[in-house]
Amino acid sequence: MMNFSYARAESVGEAIAAVSGDPHARYIAGGTNLVDLMKYDVERPGRLVDITRLPLREIAATAGGGIRIGALVPNSDLAYDARVERDYPLLASAILAGASAQLRNAATTGGNLLQRTRCYYFYDVGAPCNKRAPGSGCGAIGGVNRIHAILGASESCIATHPSDMCVALAALEAVVHVAGPGGERTIAFEDFHRLPGDRPEADNTLRHGELITAVELPAPRFGPHHTYLKLRDRLSYAFALVSVAAGLELEGDTIRDARVALGGVAHKPWRVPEAETLLRGQKPSREAFGAAAERLLQGARGQGDNDFKIELARRAVVRALEQAAAATPQRQSDKSIN
Amino acid sequence: MVYVSGAPGAVTVSLTVNGKPQTLSVAPSTTVLDLLRERLHLTGTKKGCDQGQCGACTVLIDGRRVNSCLQLAVMNDGREITTIEGLGAPGGLHPMQEAFVAHDAFQCGYCTPGQICSAVALLKEGRARTRAEIRELMSGNLCRCGAYTNIVDAVEAVMGAGASQEAAE
């Protein structure tokens, strides 16, 4: 690990001033990804600004019937919050599908959004990687790419976003609250993460010095009709090969609206509004779900080792929508998929 | 806000470790794991992967289980740390330590301190009711010897003892 200087911020304003004034400074909170990457010399900040003592740990009700989650709420506290368990079980389930109990205790809400890809070439400082070292090339294209993207990839990068929580936040249409040197702003979740294009070093649309202060959820919509289905190489404590967050608004046996987001397949949680529109007014059926899955995966392209993901994702979408329609969400401790 | 440099000894941290106050000068890059092992010589906490992937370094910070290899000591100033040495010792073992012995829940023993710290926290969290839930919520602790079946037996035994004690009270 490279040496770095350290300071503890006592206020949001102080933290923003410290990071925005220094291009080599970074915020640190849970540290579960940043410290790991610093040990590999993938991340080499000159300064760390510790934000863990800032007052961003509350989960508060909003006027619109939703909740506002402070950026420093640990993943475990969020998943086990009584209101989240009751009103946003899709979010609770996705969080519990990820990492381990130890990591969830340390990792924060804001930090979860900012975790970086687990692409092997990104982590290996001896390998080319346009995300880590822009212009150095991509080792994964034509290399070992079982875990890589099938959607939205570019010629410079085929990395995937690793988060489970973010897949649920995409389906729940969260809003990210940000404070920075230029003041405060909000970012719709779909605009927060970006596709790699020719600038894969930028995972998201935050500017240097901007700090996530909260993640807001609109009022709950899906009742019991949701699921988070995660498929991976081992049954726990592994990143998704493919995951699906699904929520359905049912009126009798008719789908009034739907939200579906995929994880493990792209540089960001993957949503296609047209696929959701296809489901509107339909009765839940394998055919209707299959059509939505086809639309979600339109343009999917394998890289060799990950070709299997296209069919896996198609089937996972259908299964997840069946689970959501039947109000039988996947339980994360139950390793059989029904 | 004052920056401290990255040099060894640049920053002073005060921690309570297994009930005992400790004040040490460290570098900002010093992890809780290295502080415990190299500075306080509490070598019960093991360094496995040093990347947050194996759980061997699990300790309790303010009662919550975390990977100590990913915790910077300076960020834990003022906190309370419990390691395997703080849970129990020969002659006065923690019930979870006794259960690991009784159920032969290890082979080489390297992952065991982390397993036990993790299991103690698991019980306190109260989220596991079934063997499947124990397995899922203990998945952050790898055992290369594959003693998982007996580890789950040990955890289940302590959990069951706790439940019957509660029922009796």
Side-chain angles (χ1 to χ4, degrees):
Chain A
M1 189 171 354
M2 302 267 292
N3 271 345
F4 55 88
S5 64
Y6 167 88
R8 184 179 300 148
E10 308 290 343
S11 70
V12 169
E14 195 180 63
I16 291 168
V19 170
S20 57
D22 178 353
H24 303 293
R26 295 284 304 271
Y27 298 114
I28 185 163
T32 52
N33 193 205
L34 182 55
V35 173
D36 179 33
L37 289 167
M38 286 166 67
K39 290 186 179 192
Y40 279 102
D41 283 339
V42 173
E43 298 272 12
R44 291 181 289 177
R47 297 180 157 195
L48 288 184
V49 175
D50 177 356
I51 58 166
T52 55
R53 313 279 164 133
L54 301 182
L56 302 172
R57 289 183 181 271
E58 261 189 288
I59 303 173
T62 64
I67 57 171
R68 187 183 157 116
I69 306 155
L72 292 174
V73 174
N75 289 178
S76 50
D77 292 17
L78 183 56
Y80 294 135
D81 178 81
R83 197 167 23 191
V84 171
E85 284 183 324
R86 188 192 65 210
D87 293 340
Y88 304 96
L90 171 59
L91 176 61
S93 182
I95 293 170
L96 294 176
S100 67
Q102 289 95 315
L103 290 167
R104 292 191 294 266
N105 273 343
T108 63
T109 301
N112 193 304
L113 271 59
L114 300 177
Q115 48 175 324
R116 310 214 64 191
T117 186
R118 263 56 176 198
C119 171
Y120 335 112
Y121 300 93
F122 175 71
Y123 261 80
D124 178 359
V125 292
C129 171
N130 288 322
K131 184 182 278 298
R132 174 174 33 76
S136 65
C138 173
I141 296 173
V144 178
N145 50 38
R146 176 174 169 75
I147 64 171
H148 290 78
I150 52 171
L151 288 160
S154 74
E155 282 171 19
S156 19
C157 182
I158 59 170
T160 57
H161 194 262
S163 170
D164 292 298
M165 186 177 95
C166 288
V167 185
L169 291 177
L172 292 167
E173 298 184 301
V175 172
V176 185
H177 289 252
V178 164
E184 296 181 8
R185 64 180 180 122
T186 57
I187 307 171
F189 205 76
E190 63 187 80
D191 299 327
F192 185 82
H193 296 103
R194 56 185 295 285
L195 292 177
D198 58 2
R199 223 161 49 82
E201 67 273 21
D203 295 349
N204 56 59
T205 53
L206 283 183
R207 302 168 195 139
H208 183 71
E210 282 189 318
L211 176 71
I212 298 173
T213 53
V215 173
E216 187 176 329
L217 297 181
R221 303 173 61 188
F222 308 129
H225 297 290
H226 66 87
T227 197
Y228 187 71
L229 179 62
K230 179 176 181 178
L231 305 171
R232 46 192 155 174
D233 277 333
R234 66 181 181 207
L235 293 174
S236 184
Y237 200 17
F239 290 97
L241 291 167
V242 168
S243 71
V244 186
L248 294 174
E249 257 186 83
L250 287 173
E251 210 168 59
D253 63 350
T254 302
I255 299 168
R256 204 164 68 155
D257 207 354
R259 292 291 179 269
V260 187
L262 301 183
V265 296
H267 201 251
K268 59 185 285 188
W270 191 257
R271 256 188 78 196
V272 178
E274 294 79 9
E276 296 163 2
T277 308
L278 281 178
L279 290 167
R280 272 187 220 142
Q282 304 276 332
K283 307 251 184 273
S285 72
R286 187 161 278 213
E287 292 67 36
F289 296 157
E294 290 299 339
R295 184 64 193 82
L296 264 160
L297 289 157
Q298 194 176 304
R301 204 182 125 221
Q303 298 284 341
D305 296 343
N306 69 350
D307 293 349
F308 72 95
K309 278 193 181 184
I310 300 172
E311 181 62 12
L312 186 67
R314 198 187 63 74
R315 295 185 191 197
V317 169
V318 173
R319 186 64 64 92
L321 285 167
E322 286 176 341
Q323 290 183 336
T328 53
Q330 183 70 35
R331 286 169 47 80
Q332 298 307 337
S333 59
D334 183 356
K335 301 307 175 184
S336 60
I337 297 168
N338 296 304
Chain B
M1 192 167 52
V2 178
Y3 280 93
V4 296
S5 83
V11 59
T12 301
V13 292
S14 296
L15 302 157
T16 304
V17 181
N18 297 331
K20 200 172 148 195
Q22 301 277 2
T23 298
L24 298 118
S25 297
V26 298
S29 59
T30 304
T31 61
V32 168
L33 174 60
D34 287 341
L35 178 141
L36 291 170
R37 289 183 56 86
E38 308 297 331
R39 300 293 301 280
L40 298 177
H41 308 295
L42 292 168
T43 53
T45 306
K46 301 302 184 210
K47 183 179 280 197
C49 67
D50 208 22
Q51 304 286 355
Q53 295 176 8
C54 77
C57 68
T58 302
V59 300
L60 311 179
I61 299 187
D62 288 347
R64 293 160 70 98
R65 49 176 160 161
V66 295
N67 305 96
S68 62
C69 73
L70 294 180
Q71 292 288 324
L72 298 179
V74 63
M75 293 178 66
N76 285 281
D77 191 34
R79 304 228 151 99
E80 215 166 290
I81 299 175
T82 305
T83 70
I84 189 71
E85 291 92 341
L87 287 179
L93 292 182
H94 187 281
M96 190 63 74
Q97 291 173 310
E98 282 179 347
F100 267 62
V101 174
H103 291 270
D104 194 17
F106 44 80
Q107 249 184 74
C108 82
Y110 199 80
C111 73
T112 310
Q115 297 276 4
I116 290 174
C117 285
S118 196
V120 167
L122 172 88
L123 260 54
K124 194 176 150 222
E125 291 157 10
R127 293 283 165 176
R129 296 275 181 272
T130 63
R131 283 182 75 86
E133 286 166 348
I134 293 172
R135 290 178 71 90
E136 175 63 21
L137 292 172
M138 287 293 290
S139 72
N141 293 85
L142 306 192
C143 170
R144 294 286 296 266
C145 303
Y148 294 114
T149 306
N150 292 4
I151 292 170
V152 176
D153 285 349
V155 176
E156 201 180 23
V158 181
M159 191 182 285
S164 46
Q165 202 174 357
E166 264 173 42
E169 277 167 7

PDB file of all heavy atoms in Angstrom, chain A residues 43 57 83 103 134 153 159 176 198 205 207 222-223 261 266 281 328 330 336 338:
ATOM      1  N   GLU A  43      -5.683   1.401  -6.407  1.00  0.00           N
ATOM      2  CA  GLU A  43      -6.018   2.762  -5.983  1.00  0.00           C
ATOM      3  C   GLU A  43      -4.820   3.295  -5.205  1.00  0.00           C
ATOM      4  O   GLU A  43      -4.284   2.606  -4.323  1.00  0.00           O
ATOM      5  CB  GLU A  43      -7.250   2.769  -5.080  1.00  0.00           C
ATOM      6  CG  GLU A  43      -8.519   2.258  -5.745  1.00  0.00           C
ATOM      7  CD  GLU A  43      -9.296   3.348  -6.470  1.00  0.00           C
ATOM      8  OE1 GLU A  43      -8.734   4.459  -6.647  1.00  0.00           O
ATOM      9  OE2 GLU A  43     -10.440   3.089  -6.845  1.00  0.00           O
ATOM     10  N   ARG A  57     -26.263   8.941   9.099  1.00  0.00           N
ATOM     11  CA  ARG A  57     -26.577   7.552   9.467  1.00  0.00           C
ATOM     12  C   ARG A  57     -28.055   7.295   9.688  1.00  0.00           C
ATOM     13  O   ARG A  57     -28.440   6.264  10.233  1.00  0.00           O
ATOM     14  CB  ARG A  57     -25.825   7.170  10.750  1.00  0.00           C
ATOM     15  CG  ARG A  57     -24.352   7.028  10.515  1.00  0.00           C
ATOM     16  CD  ARG A  57     -23.592   6.587  11.735  1.00  0.00           C
ATOM     17  NE  ARG A  57     -22.194   6.502  11.380  1.00  0.00           N
ATOM     18  CZ  ARG A  57     -21.624   5.414  10.885  1.00  0.00           C
ATOM     19  NH1 ARG A  57     -22.318   4.304  10.729  1.00  0.00           N
ATOM     20  NH2 ARG A  57     -20.357   5.423  10.532  1.00  0.00           N
ATOM     21  N   ARG A  83     -38.493  -0.963   8.643  1.00  0.00           N
ATOM     22  CA  ARG A  83     -39.267  -0.338   7.569  1.00  0.00           C
ATOM     23  C   ARG A  83     -38.825  -0.849   6.203  1.00  0.00           C
ATOM     24  O   ARG A  83     -39.633  -1.055   5.303  1.00  0.00           O
ATOM     25  CB  ARG A  83     -39.076   1.182   7.664  1.00  0.00           C
ATOM     26  CG  ARG A  83     -40.080   1.998   6.925  1.00  0.00           C
ATOM     27  CD  ARG A  83     -39.972   3.434   7.372  1.00  0.00           C
ATOM     28  NE  ARG A  83     -38.642   3.702   7.933  1.00  0.00           N
ATOM     29  CZ  ARG A  83     -38.325   4.800   8.597  1.00  0.00           C
ATOM     30  NH1 ARG A  83     -39.225   5.728   8.803  1.00  0.00           N
ATOM     31  NH2 ARG A  83     -37.112   4.987   9.053  1.00  0.00           N
ATOM     32  N   LEU A 103     -18.587  -7.988   5.927  1.00  0.00           N
ATOM     33  CA  LEU A 103     -18.451  -6.882   4.974  1.00  0.00           C
ATOM     34  C   LEU A 103     -19.677  -5.979   5.009  1.00  0.00           C
ATOM     35  O   LEU A 103     -19.572  -4.758   4.940  1.00  0.00           O
ATOM     36  CB  LEU A 103     -18.214  -7.420   3.563  1.00  0.00           C
ATOM     37  CG  LEU A 103     -16.839  -8.068   3.349  1.00  0.00           C
ATOM     38  CD1 LEU A 103     -16.810  -8.848   2.052  1.00  0.00           C
ATOM     39  CD2 LEU A 103     -15.737  -7.018   3.360  1.00  0.00           C
ATOM     40  N   PRO A 134      -5.918   4.277 -18.231  1.00  0.00           N
ATOM     41  CA  PRO A 134      -6.521   4.616 -19.526  1.00  0.00           C
ATOM     42  C   PRO A 134      -5.492   4.563 -20.665  1.00  0.00           C
ATOM     43  O   PRO A 134      -4.378   5.068 -20.527  1.00  0.00           O
ATOM     44  CB  PRO A 134      -7.045   6.037 -19.307  1.00  0.00           C
ATOM     45  CG  PRO A 134      -7.328   6.100 -17.837  1.00  0.00           C
ATOM     46  CD  PRO A 134      -6.269   5.254 -17.191  1.00  0.00           C
ATOM     47  N   ALA A 153     -21.262  -3.046 -23.450  1.00  0.00           N
ATOM     48  CA  ALA A 153     -19.804  -2.987 -23.352  1.00  0.00           C
ATOM     49  C   ALA A 153     -19.250  -2.166 -24.520  1.00  0.00           C
ATOM     50  O   ALA A 153     -19.962  -1.831 -25.466  1.00  0.00           O
ATOM     51  CB  ALA A 153     -19.209  -4.392 -23.366  1.00  0.00           C
ATOM     52  N   ALA A 159     -16.037  -4.598 -18.488  1.00  0.00           N
ATOM     53  CA  ALA A 159     -16.218  -4.853 -17.048  1.00  0.00           C
ATOM     54  C   ALA A 159     -17.690  -4.780 -16.665  1.00  0.00           C
ATOM     55  O   ALA A 159     -18.494  -4.141 -17.340  1.00  0.00           O
ATOM     56  CB  ALA A 159     -15.423  -3.835 -16.240  1.00  0.00           C
ATOM     57  N   VAL A 176     -30.183   9.598  -6.046  1.00  0.00           N
ATOM     58  CA  VAL A 176     -28.959   9.780  -5.273  1.00  0.00           C
ATOM     59  C   VAL A 176     -28.793  11.265  -4.939  1.00  0.00           C
ATOM     60  O   VAL A 176     -28.833  12.110  -5.835  1.00  0.00           O
ATOM     61  CB  VAL A 176     -27.729   9.276  -6.063  1.00  0.00           C
ATOM     62  CG1 VAL A 176     -26.472   9.358  -5.196  1.00  0.00           C
ATOM     63  CG2 VAL A 176     -27.948   7.845  -6.554  1.00  0.00           C
ATOM     64  N   ASP A 198     -15.704   5.216 -24.363  1.00  0.00           N
ATOM     65  CA  ASP A 198     -14.246   5.340 -24.490  1.00  0.00           C
ATOM     66  C   ASP A 198     -13.630   5.986 -23.244  1.00  0.00           C
ATOM     67  O   ASP A 198     -12.511   6.485 -23.268  1.00  0.00           O
ATOM     68  CB  ASP A 198     -13.879   6.133 -25.756  1.00  0.00           C
ATOM     69  CG  ASP A 198     -14.495   7.519 -25.760  1.00  0.00           C
ATOM     70  OD1 ASP A 198     -15.173   7.891 -24.770  1.00  0.00           O
ATOM     71  OD2 ASP A 198     -14.319   8.248 -26.755  1.00  0.00           O
ATOM     72  N   THR A 205     -21.226   9.257 -12.712  1.00  0.00           N
ATOM     73  CA  THR A 205     -21.265  10.650 -13.168  1.00  0.00           C
ATOM     74  C   THR A 205     -20.938  11.653 -12.053  1.00  0.00           C
ATOM     75  O   THR A 205     -21.191  12.848 -12.203  1.00  0.00           O
ATOM     76  CB  THR A 205     -22.652  10.975 -13.767  1.00  0.00           C
ATOM     77  OG1 THR A 205     -23.663  10.612 -12.810  1.00  0.00           O
ATOM     78  CG2 THR A 205     -22.892  10.182 -15.033  1.00  0.00           C
ATOM     79  N   ARG A 207     -18.697  14.147  -9.917  1.00  0.00           N
ATOM     80  CA  ARG A 207     -17.514  14.955 -10.197  1.00  0.00           C
ATOM     81  C   ARG A 207     -16.572  14.873  -8.995  1.00  0.00           C
ATOM     82  O   ARG A 207     -17.020  14.609  -7.876  1.00  0.00           O
ATOM     83  CB  ARG A 207     -17.924  16.413 -10.440  1.00  0.00           C
ATOM     84  CG  ARG A 207     -18.920  16.531 -11.584  1.00  0.00           C
ATOM     85  CD  ARG A 207     -19.554  17.939 -11.619  1.00  0.00           C
ATOM     86  NE  ARG A 207     -20.729  17.909 -12.472  1.00  0.00           N
ATOM     87  CZ  ARG A 207     -21.890  18.538 -12.198  1.00  0.00           C
ATOM     88  NH1 ARG A 207     -22.011  19.255 -11.094  1.00  0.00           N
ATOM     89  NH2 ARG A 207     -22.916  18.456 -13.033  1.00  0.00           N
ATOM     90  N   PHE A 222     -44.602  -2.409  -4.960  1.00  0.00           N
ATOM     91  CA  PHE A 222     -44.785  -3.784  -5.448  1.00  0.00           C
ATOM     92  C   PHE A 222     -45.457  -4.731  -4.460  1.00  0.00           C
ATOM     93  O   PHE A 222     -45.771  -5.859  -4.826  1.00  0.00           O
ATOM     94  CB  PHE A 222     -43.427  -4.370  -5.874  1.00  0.00           C
ATOM     95  CG  PHE A 222     -42.670  -3.506  -6.838  1.00  0.00           C
ATOM     96  CD1 PHE A 222     -41.346  -3.163  -6.606  1.00  0.00           C
ATOM     97  CD2 PHE A 222     -43.304  -3.003  -7.979  1.00  0.00           C
ATOM     98  CE1 PHE A 222     -40.650  -2.366  -7.499  1.00  0.00           C
ATOM     99  CE2 PHE A 222     -42.610  -2.194  -8.874  1.00  0.00           C
ATOM    100  CZ  PHE A 222     -41.276  -1.870  -8.631  1.00  0.00           C
ATOM    101  N   GLY A 223     -45.676  -4.275  -3.224  1.00  0.00           N
ATOM    102  CA  GLY A 223     -46.257  -5.195  -2.238  1.00  0.00           C
ATOM    103  C   GLY A 223     -45.426  -6.468  -2.185  1.00  0.00           C
ATOM    104  O   GLY A 223     -44.196  -6.402  -2.141  1.00  0.00           O
ATOM    105  N   ALA A 261     -34.468  -5.086 -13.397  1.00  0.00           N
ATOM    106  CA  ALA A 261     -33.077  -4.669 -13.584  1.00  0.00           C
ATOM    107  C   ALA A 261     -32.190  -5.903 -13.494  1.00  0.00           C
ATOM    108  O   ALA A 261     -32.460  -6.818 -12.714  1.00  0.00           O
ATOM    109  CB  ALA A 261     -32.675  -3.642 -12.528  1.00  0.00           C
ATOM    110  N   ALA A 266     -23.550  -5.945 -17.152  1.00  0.00           N
ATOM    111  CA  ALA A 266     -23.154  -4.685 -17.795  1.00  0.00           C
ATOM    112  C   ALA A 266     -22.367  -3.808 -16.818  1.00  0.00           C
ATOM    113  O   ALA A 266     -22.223  -4.130 -15.642  1.00  0.00           O
ATOM    114  CB  ALA A 266     -24.382  -3.931 -18.298  1.00  0.00           C
ATOM    115  N   GLY A 281     -50.378  -4.359 -18.824  1.00  0.00           N
ATOM    116  CA  GLY A 281     -51.650  -4.827 -19.358  1.00  0.00           C
ATOM    117  C   GLY A 281     -51.678  -6.317 -19.641  1.00  0.00           C
ATOM    118  O   GLY A 281     -52.712  -6.858 -20.034  1.00  0.00           O
ATOM    119  N   THR A 328     -43.633 -15.114  -4.426  1.00  0.00           N
ATOM    120  CA  THR A 328     -42.751 -16.068  -3.752  1.00  0.00           C
ATOM    121  C   THR A 328     -41.298 -15.650  -3.995  1.00  0.00           C
ATOM    122  O   THR A 328     -40.583 -16.276  -4.761  1.00  0.00           O
ATOM    123  CB  THR A 328     -42.954 -17.496  -4.284  1.00  0.00           C
ATOM    124  OG1 THR A 328     -42.825 -17.466  -5.729  1.00  0.00           O
ATOM    125  CG2 THR A 328     -44.308 -18.050  -3.925  1.00  0.00           C
ATOM    126  N   GLN A 330     -37.349 -15.021  -3.889  1.00  0.00           N
ATOM    127  CA  GLN A 330     -36.225 -15.888  -3.538  1.00  0.00           C
ATOM    128  C   GLN A 330     -35.732 -15.529  -2.148  1.00  0.00           C
ATOM    129  O   GLN A 330     -35.475 -14.356  -1.865  1.00  0.00           O
ATOM    130  CB  GLN A 330     -35.094 -15.697  -4.555  1.00  0.00           C
ATOM    131  CG  GLN A 330     -33.920 -16.602  -4.332  1.00  0.00           C
ATOM    132  CD  GLN A 330     -34.233 -18.062  -4.637  1.00  0.00           C
ATOM    133  OE1 GLN A 330     -34.991 -18.364  -5.554  1.00  0.00           O
ATOM    134  NE2 GLN A 330     -33.660 -18.965  -3.864  1.00  0.00           N
ATOM    135  N   SER A 336     -32.226 -23.488  -3.178  1.00  0.00           N
ATOM    136  CA  SER A 336     -32.963 -24.020  -4.320  1.00  0.00           C
ATOM    137  C   SER A 336     -33.777 -22.890  -4.928  1.00  0.00           C
ATOM    138  O   SER A 336     -34.193 -21.959  -4.227  1.00  0.00           O
ATOM    139  CB  SER A 336     -33.871 -25.169  -3.890  1.00  0.00           C
ATOM    140  OG  SER A 336     -34.787 -24.702  -2.931  1.00  0.00           O
ATOM    141  N   ASN A 338     -37.095 -21.875  -6.928  1.00  0.00           N
ATOM    142  CA  ASN A 338     -38.415 -22.382  -7.314  1.00  0.00           C
ATOM    143  C   ASN A 338     -39.189 -21.357  -8.137  1.00  0.00           C
ATOM    144  O   ASN A 338     -38.802 -20.220  -8.240  1.00  0.00           O
ATOM    145  CB  ASN A 338     -39.200 -22.764  -6.067  1.00  0.00           C
ATOM    146  CG  ASN A 338     -38.529 -23.903  -5.333  1.00  0.00           C
ATOM    147  OD1 ASN A 338     -38.285 -24.954  -5.910  1.00  0.00           O
ATOM    148  ND2 ASN A 338     -38.178 -23.695  -4.080  1.00  0.00           N
TER     149      ASN A 338
END
